Amino acid sequence: MHYDFCVIGGGIVGLATAKALLAKRPGATLVLLEKEASLGQHQTGRNSGVIHSGIYYAPGSLKARLCKEGMARTKQYCREQGIAFEERGKLIVATNALEEERLAKLHQRAQENGIAVELLDRAGIEAMEPNITGLSALLVRSSAIVGYKQILAALAAELAEAGAEIRLSTTADYIQARGRWVELSAGGVPFTAGQLVACAGLQSDRVARLAGLEVDFAIVPFRGEYYRLASQRDQVVKAMIYPVPDPDLPFLGIHLTPMIGGGVSVGPNAVLGLAREGYNKGAVSLPDIAAAVGFPGFWRTMGRHFRAGAEEMANSLFRRRYLEACRKYCPSLTLQDLTPMPAGIRAQAVRRDGTMVQDFLLLRGERMLHVCNAPSPAATSALPIGEHIAREVLEAAN
């Protein structure tokens, strides 16, 4: 069987890319392969549900541009599809002098990125959020919350209507570009495609290597552990409450996030994962461990961020330490307020020199393109990044 396009990966970036390809090539044939029994089982279905503004990202970066556009596009798509979202706003709170210095730089970055923000003092914070305390804060009113699985379901329905074929529980086990086609096999079934796009998330390096590409990075999984506040604390905040992030780390810190279906989540932290898809605490995959420790960049990045990693591990092991990270800006929280919630895992691309890839990373091959790093805010940016990928694919085909 032959298709014009094959997309590997049933997360939000994969579906948004498939949507964009079919919009640009009406009537084309497309198959999407997802190895799980349903869509969005990994990063898409396990994030904090935030529509980000793009305040954090380096001016001029693909992440900054696509996030700003993605915020507007995601909200518009929700309006068109009747999907609920709420513009709760985001409050980034500084609680000490170092964080105030970082907040000032973040304020400057927001201006460079064209993001509307308001600077609040202590009184302004308390007036807006009586349960939050801090020296100063940035308010981003445009930040919102949504259920990304609802967006994913709407995208899947659009693809079905456009004639795309979605194959679940189907893993690609052979990929080889030959002449005018890409030859594939999935579950022992051979087929060909004119162009391949891989949006494989936690398995992106392995899929690229399967396709015969040279890979100078490895995916290192970081487990993000969440708690949900006890129901009696559902009204503790109205906005999303974030700490000021460490600019040397790609993670935003433990935050309070109202959820679209009700309740407030707390987290995530960022603990080195011992299994790429092991969401239960203590999950271990020997092949995943071997792949990480056998990659030189793993040891370099661990050495570079040893102190931060040790602190995150301690927060994971000791719930009281996790609580204290929240009590910096929400002092009324208690241990009894933290109730269990499913974890997520971030697919972080790390280069051979130990550098964590901060931006989207696209790897091109003959008649194929691999999305090798799609970090937060990938969900927010999914619609414009899908169009960006589609343009890259179609331009290469001409």
Side-chain angles (χ1 to χ4, degrees):
M1 187 174 293
H2 177 76
Y3 298 90
D4 295 311
F5 303 107
C6 174
V7 176
I8 296 176
I12 195 167
V13 174
L15 269 69
T17 299
K19 169 184 165 70
L21 286 168
L22 292 180
K24 293 177 183 297
R25 290 291 186 269
T29 55
L30 183 147
V31 62
L32 185 143
L33 309 181
E34 167 53 48
K35 68 183 181 64
E36 305 296 351
S38 59
L39 300 171
Q41 289 301 296
H42 297 291
Q43 293 178 110
T44 299
R46 293 175 175 268
N47 62 41
S48 54
V50 175
I51 303 176
H52 291 282
S53 65
I55 185 174
Y56 302 106
Y57 314 120
S61 67
L62 194 59
K63 242 190 345 184
R65 178 169 62 83
L66 293 178
C67 185
K68 184 178 179 182
E69 181 183 350
M71 177 180 67
R73 293 279 303 279
T74 299
K75 291 177 183 178
Q76 183 58 33
Y77 188 75
C78 288
R79 293 185 188 102
E80 293 168 356
Q81 297 293 327
I83 297 170
F85 71 94
E86 298 175 10
E87 289 185 326
R88 293 292 193 98
K90 176 186 294 185
L91 203 61
I92 305 170
V93 182
T95 59
N96 57 45
L98 175 59
E99 289 179 354
E100 284 204 294
E101 290 178 15
R102 291 173 174 172
L103 193 72
K105 293 178 181 177
L106 196 59
H107 192 189
Q108 177 63 33
R109 175 164 286 188
Q111 294 172 325
E112 292 172 2
N113 283 333
I115 307 298
V117 297
E118 301 169 36
L119 185 61
L120 305 183
D121 59 12
R122 186 192 296 271
I125 295 170
E126 293 180 358
M128 180 179 173
E129 294 284 354
N131 293 308
I132 300 300
T133 185
L135 301 178
S136 58
L138 284 180
L139 171 61
V140 189
R141 292 190 184 274
S142 57
S143 295
I145 56 173
V146 73
Y148 279 107
K149 279 200 168 183
Q150 290 179 277
I151 296 177
L152 196 69
L155 289 170
E158 281 196 277
L159 290 178
E161 187 175 344
E165 182 179 343
I166 297 177
R167 296 189 185 182
L168 302 175
S169 302
T170 304
T171 303
D173 47 42
Y174 175 83
I175 304 171
Q176 181 65 55
R178 292 190 188 276
R180 297 175 58 194
W181 317 118
V182 179
E183 295 182 356
L184 299 103
S185 175
V189 178
F191 62 96
T192 59
Q195 295 285 331
L196 168 74
V197 181
C199 305
L202 287 157
Q203 308 298 337
S204 63
D205 54 343
R206 289 169 173 162
V207 172
R209 199 172 291 114
L210 177 67
L213 302 187
E214 289 189 15
V215 177
D216 68 348
F217 69 94
I219 293 298
V220 176
F222 285 89
R223 177 184 166 85
E225 296 167 333
Y226 292 87
Y227 290 97
R228 178 175 180 150
L229 291 186
S231 59
Q232 61 266 29
R233 304 308 303 271
D234 281 356
Q235 307 304 317
V236 68
V237 292
K238 302 182 190 71
M240 293 162 270
I241 311 297
Y242 278 62
V244 180
D246 183 338
D248 294 329
L249 296 173
F251 311 112
L252 298 180
I254 295 173
H255 42 270
L256 298 177
T257 308
M259 295 181 288
I260 196 69
V264 178
S265 68
V266 183
N269 58 357
V271 182
L272 178 65
L274 300 180
R276 293 195 187 192
E277 298 175 4
Y279 297 103
N280 294 326
K281 206 161 190 174
V284 173
S285 166
L286 294 180
D288 289 348
I289 293 173
V293 301
F295 181 66
F298 169 81
W299 296 106
R300 292 179 179 129
T301 197
M302 289 301 104
R304 190 173 297 163
H305 301 295
F306 177 80
R307 181 176 178 180
E311 289 178 356
E312 293 288 346
M313 182 60 72
N315 287 344
S316 174
L317 293 173
F318 303 105
R319 197 160 59 112
R320 186 171 292 280
R321 280 185 60 103
Y322 197 111
L323 174 69
E324 290 308 312
C326 308
R327 284 173 55 87
K328 283 176 58 178
Y329 51 77
C330 190
S332 66
L333 293 180
T334 68
L335 279 177
Q336 289 69 37
D337 292 330
L338 302 184
T339 64
M341 189 174 173
I345 295 179
R346 173 175 175 149
Q348 176 63 54
V350 175
R351 295 196 183 277
R352 191 168 291 273
D353 65 359
T355 303
M356 290 186 182
V357 180
Q358 300 275 15
D359 209 349
F360 295 105
L361 176 63
L362 306 180
L363 185 61
R364 295 165 184 81
E366 185 181 356
R367 309 194 72 81
M368 63 181 74
L369 188 147
H370 292 250
V371 181
C372 297
N373 196 62
S376 178
T380 300
S381 309
L383 292 172
I385 197 173
E387 292 183 354
H388 177 85
I389 293 166
R391 283 194 300 271
E392 296 268 330
V393 169
L394 296 175
E395 287 171 7
N398 293 333

